[in-house]
């Protein structure tokens, strides 16, 4: 103890010189004054205690020592969320970075978001202090104060919009590339956890921040996942890299700020966000039924209601001085956020799909008196708008995908017409990414599709800007281009709703985010809102059939005459050629195409001999209004044709047994077994029929594997009703598919060794038969691969095998995220590549070295491979994506900046795919797709398919 005391500082003595002694008289006087003051304090305290605490004679009660703290908390309960009253008088943003130069954008076409998204201003924008200082026509005098510090940007008449706002993202908590060490999307510790916060798992090193900014995204609401009924609190972030490099530095109006000089909640309270989920996700994680999940919600809200009631009763007495028996202020850190939901201070973002779950949640809101900000995913909301309007407080907004559906049962009735129908019913529509389910870089593409299917242009653009800003409670500072708003905006190379619209620059807090962006030249027509088809009839049919309208086409008469045709593209043996093009200057120069029994009889003018002859027959006439006839597209890469509902095992073909990890039974063929996709085909699936209606007439699919050996692919008609129907099976088998991916066990080197053994060793059974065809150059080996390192090993192995055999073998890579890194070597090896995602995303490690395309790179992977004489095809990943193949190749062509012609783009998803996968076309003409009001690569409407193989013309 003595040793410890020796280490203690001797305050007041050690190292301090003694104060000079005071005179005795002054010391006595000071003692007298101090004694008098102390006596007075004691007397006053005794009197106060007597009057307040008393002895019970006059009924007075004790005031708790923490009374003021409790009263402050009671006052805080009455503060409404929202910005401070003087918010728009600010001259600098709270996120302003000192040193940021002012920016003047001139000669811009400005979509402000105001007036319900209908206001467009041709003028200038001044950015300063992290906010928008002026919008309109600026005189030189307005910027003279900035002198040489002012950065000037001439927009050259192009469109400027608010930054894109993503209402539903997992960016940062579910990082890209996916790694076990950075997966913080879901907690699995219980179905109700309102106390969790996404901020506590926000990773600042996510590769997606850069790519999403390159798509114009400036703000995201990062939510916990949907494993739990109540998954925790989300956070609103700006995507730019913060100067302090911290997650906290990314927050927009942090509700967790404790520095009252920055944020005083007693003056204005900042909204928080809360994730809820109902339906299959929490049910499946915890083995619940919907009844269990509903009870979990009710139990949690009853707990919150009791706390809220206790607080309200406490405060009612406390503010009136009735302290007797009150005790401590009733609060619970675990439940305080859910209590704030009941107080209207937390925005509830609710993952909820089906009518049954939507109805459950609406009843819950009315039972416990709270509002839902938005239903997310919400695939059946368009069927029950009146149910939504019955929710407590106000109808929730609806946050949707455009066409992503049928991946599980509760999404089965999803419709592309949902945004249009909901808007017609007066409900707020939001398009969201659910990043990384969809890459938020292309969130604007969701709005483009919504517009194509009927959502008005103003609401479509608002659906990714002003509407989500309003739903998350941030529309006082983001989502609009108005004076005093955050300087978050995008300069686009075309109208934002035009296909492939790409940022030329993105500003967040007035700071430009794209360093030396690669710019594209777009046609003048792309500067105006796209003209879209009328889908009113289809939307009505969707409602009439409760979300499951008949998708089968109507058969035409034997003779069909397509009139007013501007372009005709036809297949050749190894490509596509433009067989006819109308004179652009002559509106009457369109062709007439006569089809008899599913075959083109002639192409000519309205006065041609063939057309005149058709007039004597019982023909069906279809006006394409300047449209086109183009080869039917081919899809590959997804399980299309082998599944109906992805997550429902009873609706899919399933997965093959992999000989590297399983013992294949002898009854199947043992080590020589080879599975044929043709044996498991499911015809008439909704995704296949949707694909057909949007120009994809042939599907190619391989058996599904999670390992090395898949099996033989097959080609089928997406319109056929069953395998035995004429033309249903285009080709039973074309090529042998394997996959090589880094999965841990077996190792990549083990998989390469297995492939070497297949090609150089002895193999029995049907597997041996097809390996023999590959060795003879009669069939392609199709390898699913992403990594450039693995591709390099495959190229080396191919050279080894060819040297051993003395002949070349056919090989095709499918996936190919990193193939561009070896474009020269792939071309020299005569290997083809099917790019499975034309707009790549580094969701896993083996895909991390993507070529992102403009504005981050000069061009895309398709163009780079083509430039090195690689035969390139285009595929998709999931079955629902097949319907959008024509837009994928159209976008790829736009990114090539004129290097890929329309005929070449069509070949990417037709003849090239067949050639690379061993599908040989017969002597018949290929399918032709008829589009009205444009060609296959834009927002035209597909009205029919000419099918020589099936001998019919199908009409939609």
């Amino acid at each position: 103890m003595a040793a410890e005391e020796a280490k203690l500082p001797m305050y007041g003595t050690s190292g301090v010189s003694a104060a000079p002694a005071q005179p005795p008289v002054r010391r006595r006087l000071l003692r007298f004054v101090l004694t008098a003051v102390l006596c007075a304090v004691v007397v006053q305290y005794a009197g106060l205690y007597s009057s307040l605490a008393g002895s019970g004679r006059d009924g007075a009660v004790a005031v708790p020592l923490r009374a003021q703290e409790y009263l402050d908390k009671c006052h805080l309960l009455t503060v409404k969320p929202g910005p401070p009253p003087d918010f728009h008088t600010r001259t600098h943003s709270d996120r302003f970075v000192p040193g940021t130069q002012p920016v003047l954008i001139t000669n811009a076409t400005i979509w402000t978001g105001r007036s319900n998204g209908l206001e467009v201003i041709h003028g200038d924008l001044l950015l300063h202090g992290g906010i928008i200082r002026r919008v309109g026509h600026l005189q030189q005098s307005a910027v003279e104060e900035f002198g040489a510090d002012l950065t000037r940007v001439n927009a050259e008449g192009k469109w400027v919009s608010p930054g894109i706002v993503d209402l539903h993202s997992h960016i940062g908590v579910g990082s890209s590339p996916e790694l076990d060490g950075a997966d913080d999307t879901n907690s699995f510790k219980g179905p109700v956890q309102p106390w969790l916060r996404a901020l506590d798992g926000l990773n600042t090193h996510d590769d997606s921040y850069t790519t999403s900014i390159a798509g114009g995204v400036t703000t995201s609401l990062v939510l916990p996942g949907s494993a739990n009924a109540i998954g925790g609190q989300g956070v609103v972030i700006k995507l730019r890299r913060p100067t302090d490099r911290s997650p906290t530095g990314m927050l927009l109006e942090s509700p967790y700020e404790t520095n009252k000089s920055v944020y005083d909640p007693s003056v204005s309270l900042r909204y928080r966000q809360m994730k809820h989920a109902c339906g299959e996700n929490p049910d499946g994680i915890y083995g619940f039924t919907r009844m269990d999940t509903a009870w979990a919600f009710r139990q949690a809200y009853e707990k919150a209601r009791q706390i809220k009631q206790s607080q309200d009763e406490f405060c009612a007495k406390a503010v009136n001085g009735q302290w007797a028996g009150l005790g401590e202020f009733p609060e619970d850190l675990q439940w305080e956020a859910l209590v704030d939901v009941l107080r209207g201070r937390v925005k509830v973002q609710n993952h909820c799909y089906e009518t049954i779950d939507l109805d459950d949640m609406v009843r819950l809101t009315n039972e416990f008196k709270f509002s839902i900000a938005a239903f997310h995913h919400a695939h059946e909301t368009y069927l029950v708008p009146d149910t939504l309007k019955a929710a407590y407080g106000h109808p929730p907004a609806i946050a949707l995908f455009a066409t992503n559906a049928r991946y599980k049962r509760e999404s089965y009735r999803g419709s592309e017409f949902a945004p249009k129908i909901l808007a017609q019913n007066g409900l707020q529509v939001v398009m969201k990414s659910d990043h990384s389910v969809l890459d938020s870089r292309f969130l604007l593409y969701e709005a483009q599709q919504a517009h194509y299917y009927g959502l008005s242009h103003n609401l479509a653009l608002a659906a990714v800007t002003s509407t989500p800003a309003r739903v998350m409670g941030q529309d006082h500072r983001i989502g609009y281009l108005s004076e005093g708003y955050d300087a978050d905006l995008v300069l686009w190379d075309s109208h934002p709703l035009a296909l492939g619209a790409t940022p030329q620059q993105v500003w967040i807090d007035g700071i430009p985010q794209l360093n030396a962006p690669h710019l594209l030249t777009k046609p003048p027509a792309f500067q105006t809102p796209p003209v879209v088809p009328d889908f009113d009839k289809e939307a009505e049919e969707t409602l009439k059939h409760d979300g499951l309208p008949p998708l089968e086409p109507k058969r035409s008469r034997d003779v069909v005459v397509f009139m007013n045709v501007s372009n005709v593209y036809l297949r050749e043996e190894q490509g596509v050629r433009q067989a006819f093009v109308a004179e652009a200057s002559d509106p009457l120069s369109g062709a007439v195409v006569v089809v008899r029994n599913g075959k083109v009889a002639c192409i000519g003018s309205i006065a041609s001999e063939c057309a005149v002859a058709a007039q004597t027959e019982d023909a069906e006439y279809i006006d394409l209004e300047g449209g086109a006839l183009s080869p039917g597209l081919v899809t590959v890469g997804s399980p299309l044709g082998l599944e109906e509902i992805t997550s429902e095992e009873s609706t899919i073909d399933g997965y093959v047994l992999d000989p590297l990890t399983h013992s294949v039974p002898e009854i199947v063929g043992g080590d020589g077994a080879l599975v044929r996709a043709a044996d498991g085909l499911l015809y008439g699936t909704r995704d296949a029929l949707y694909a057909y209606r949007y120009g994809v007439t042939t599907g190619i699919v391989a058996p599904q594997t999670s390992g090395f050996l898949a099996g033989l692919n097959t080609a089928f008609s997406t319109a056929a009703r069953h395998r035995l129907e004429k033309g249903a099976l285009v080709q039973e088998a074309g090529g042998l598919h394997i996959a090589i991916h880094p999965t841990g066990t077996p190792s990549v080197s083990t998989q390469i060794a297995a492939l070497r053994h297949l090609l150089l060793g002895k193999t029995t059974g049907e597997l041996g038969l097809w390996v023999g065809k590959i060795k003879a150059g009669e069939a392609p080996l199709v390898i699913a691969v992403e990594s450039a390192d693995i591709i390099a090993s495959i190229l080396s192995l191919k050279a080894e095998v060819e040297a051993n055999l003395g002949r070349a073998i056919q090989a095709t890579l499918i996936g190919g995220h990193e193939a561009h890194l070896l474009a020269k070597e792939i071309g020299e090896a005569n290997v083809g590549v099917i790019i499975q995602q034309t707009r790549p995303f580094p969701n896993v490690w083996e895909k991390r070295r993507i070529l992102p395309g403009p504005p981050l790179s000069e061009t895309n992977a398709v163009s780079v491979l083509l430039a090195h004489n690689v035969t390139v095809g285009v595929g998709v990943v999931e079955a629902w994506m097949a319907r959008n193949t024509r837009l994928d190749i159209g976008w790829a062509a736009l990114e090539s900046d004129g290097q890929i012609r329309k005929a070449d783009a069509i070949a990417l998803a037709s003849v090239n795919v067949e050639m690379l996968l061993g599908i040989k076309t017969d002597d018949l003409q290929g399918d032709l797709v008829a589009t009205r009001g444009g060609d296959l690569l834009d927002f035209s409407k597909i009205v029919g398919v000419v099918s020589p193989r099936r001998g019919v013309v199908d009409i939609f």
Side-chain angles (χ1 to χ4, degrees), residues 181-487:
D183 184 5
D184 290 291
T185 308
N186 284 296
S187 168
F188 299 96
K189 302 302 182 183
V192 174
Q193 301 184 80
W195 46 86
L196 300 183
R197 306 183 303 181
L199 174 62
D200 298 323
L202 189 67
N203 175 15
T204 59
H205 302 298
D206 191 327
D207 287 354
S208 298
Y209 295 129
T210 298
T211 56
S212 293
I213 289 171
V217 181
T218 57
T219 303
S220 294
L221 170 53
V222 180
L223 295 167
S226 53
N228 304 311
I230 302 178
Q233 301 165 49
V235 285
V236 180
I237 65 170
K238 295 282 191 82
L239 267 58
R240 73 166 174 83
R241 185 178 180 84
T243 54
D244 65 0
R245 303 185 182 186
S246 73
T248 302
M250 300 183 75
L251 298 189
L252 176 62
E253 295 196 351
S254 170
Y256 309 118
E257 177 62 63
T258 57
N259 184 346
K260 286 194 175 182
S261 66
V262 175
Y263 166 50
D264 185 353
S266 67
V267 176
S268 63
L269 195 73
R270 292 173 174 175
Y271 276 113
R272 284 187 287 176
Q273 314 286 329
M274 178 75 73
K275 178 67 177 294
H276 285 9
C278 46
E280 293 184 33
N281 282 24
D283 292 357
I285 293 295
Y286 294 102
F288 282 3
T289 66
R290 281 179 164 80
M291 294 180 288
D292 294 313
T293 302
W295 171 244
F297 274 119
R298 296 183 67 215
Q299 190 176 41
Y301 271 103
E302 175 59 18
K303 173 72 172 178
R305 187 198 64 79
Q306 291 174 0
I307 295 173
K308 176 180 179 294
Q309 181 175 323
S310 297
Q311 290 176 346
D312 292 344
E313 291 173 351
F314 179 98
C315 291
K317 293 180 179 180
V319 296
N320 288 311
Q322 300 173 11
W323 295 102
L326 278 185
E328 299 286 321
F329 179 80
E331 57 186 341
D332 188 325
L333 185 60
Q334 279 193 303
W335 296 99
E336 59 83 24
L338 204 62
V339 174
D340 261 7
V341 170
L342 297 180
R343 296 193 183 281
R345 295 136 67 98
V346 178
K347 297 280 191 177
V348 174
Q349 311 292 344
N350 195 170
H351 161 122
C352 204
Y353 286 78
E354 283 192 273
T355 299
I356 181 174
D357 299 313
L358 297 166
D359 191 57
D360 285 348
M361 294 307 299
V362 166
R363 279 189 281 104
L364 187 75
T365 68
N366 285 294
E367 179 179 2
F368 291 97
K369 303 295 186 291
F370 71 95
S371 294
I372 292 174
F375 281 127
H376 293 240
H377 307 314
H379 282 62
E380 292 190 12
T381 48
Y382 71 99
L383 296 173
V384 289
D386 289 340
T387 296
L388 308 179
K389 293 177 183 179
Y392 181 81
H394 58 78
I398 311 301
L400 301 163
F401 295 130
T403 53
N404 184 4
R406 291 166 294 284
Y407 45 89
K408 52 185 175 178
R409 177 191 170 277
E410 60 190 6
S411 68
Y412 191 61
R413 294 173 190 265
S415 172
E416 63 270 42
F417 307 118
K420 166 190 173 79
I421 294 169
L422 288 163
Q424 288 174 337
N425 281 274
L427 294 163
Q428 296 182 88
V429 173
V430 173
M431 307 308 295
K432 52 94 177 86
S433 74
D434 194 13
H435 184 94
S436 59
V437 172
L438 299 182
D439 181 0
S440 63
R441 176 184 177 187
F442 303 110
L443 176 53
L444 184 62
Y445 179 46
E446 297 298 290
Q448 293 166 359
Q449 293 175 82
H451 179 46
Y452 172 66
Y453 290 114
L455 185 64
S456 64
H457 66 89
N458 56 309
L459 295 182
L461 196 46
V464 291
T465 53
S466 54
T467 307
R470 181 165 57 251
V471 171
M472 65 172 64
Q474 294 292 337
D475 56 326
H476 58 284
R477 64 183 300 168
I478 63 172
Y480 296 86
L481 296 184
S482 292
E483 294 175 6
Y485 275 64
D486 286 14

Side-chain angles (χ1 to χ4, degrees), residues 772-795:
K773 290 184 178 183
I774 292 169
K775 292 179 180 180
E778 298 172 359
L781 174 66
V782 184
I783 308 167
V785 61
E786 303 288 357
S787 163
D789 297 308
I790 301 176
I791 292 172
S793 294
I794 291 170
L795 296 181

Side-chain angles (χ1 to χ4, degrees), residues 18 96 110-111 139 156 243 314 452 574 612 656 672 709 810:
F96 172 65
I110 306 166
W111 187 87
Q139 301 298 320
E156 299 178 342
T243 54
F314 179 98
Y452 172 66
Q574 293 188 348
V612 171
V656 301
L709 181 63
Q810 301 176 48

Side-chain angles (χ1 to χ4, degrees), residues 474-706:
Q474 294 292 337
D475 56 326
H476 58 284
R477 64 183 300 168
I478 63 172
Y480 296 86
L481 296 184
S482 292
E483 294 175 6
Y485 275 64
D486 286 14
D488 299 348
L489 58 159
V490 185
L491 171 61
W492 302 95
D493 65 2
S494 53
H495 188 281
L497 295 179
L499 181 66
T502 301
Q504 293 191 326
Q505 188 53 270
V506 179
W507 289 267
I508 300 180
D509 301 321
I511 304 171
Q513 299 296 302
L514 302 179
N515 182 25
H518 298 275
L519 308 182
L520 296 171
T521 302
K522 298 288 181 68
F526 278 58
Q527 296 302 327
T528 57
V531 177
V532 296
D534 183 349
F535 284 105
D536 286 348
K537 179 181 177 182
E538 290 84 350
E540 291 171 4
E541 283 292 300
T542 299
L543 289 174
K544 177 182 176 182
H545 291 89
D546 202 24
L548 297 176
L551 299 177
E552 296 77 8
K554 178 175 70 75
R555 296 288 165 82
S556 70
R557 299 173 187 172
D558 291 341
V559 180
V560 177
V561 180
F562 292 101
M563 302 182 299
N564 195 12
V565 181
S566 290
N567 287 279
V568 178
Y569 296 91
L570 297 177
R571 295 170 59 115
E572 295 181 321
E573 185 175 350
Q574 293 188 348
V576 174
R577 67 181 176 89
Q578 189 174 33
F580 173 84
V581 58
E583 292 288 341
S585 59
D586 183 2
L588 301 178
S589 66
V592 170
V593 179
V594 179
V595 179
R596 290 191 180 90
N597 297 316
K599 300 179 182 178
V600 174
C602 71
I603 303 172
S605 68
I606 190 68
S608 66
E609 182 179 337
C610 187
V612 171
Q615 296 176 10
T616 64
E617 303 180 63
D618 184 21
E620 185 168 348
Y621 289 83
I622 299 175
D623 185 359
L624 295 188
E625 300 174 8
L629 285 170
S630 311
L633 302 180
V634 180
T635 185
V636 68
S638 79
L640 186 75
L642 293 179
E643 70 172 28
E644 179 71 83
I645 304 174
T646 308
S647 66
E648 294 287 345
E649 290 185 352
S650 64
T651 73
I652 66 175
D653 175 54
Y655 286 77
V656 301
L657 293 174
D658 183 45
L660 273 185
T661 55
H662 296 82
S663 176
V664 181
E666 283 298 323
I667 193 172
V668 182
D671 291 341
L674 192 60
V675 175
R676 299 184 175 211
D679 296 334
L681 281 176
L682 301 171
Y683 284 90
T685 66
R686 295 193 72 80
D687 279 323
L689 291 172
Y690 272 119
Y692 189 68
R693 293 179 77 90
Y694 292 101
V696 179
T697 63
T698 302
I700 301 176
V701 66
Q704 297 302 289
T705 180
S706 57

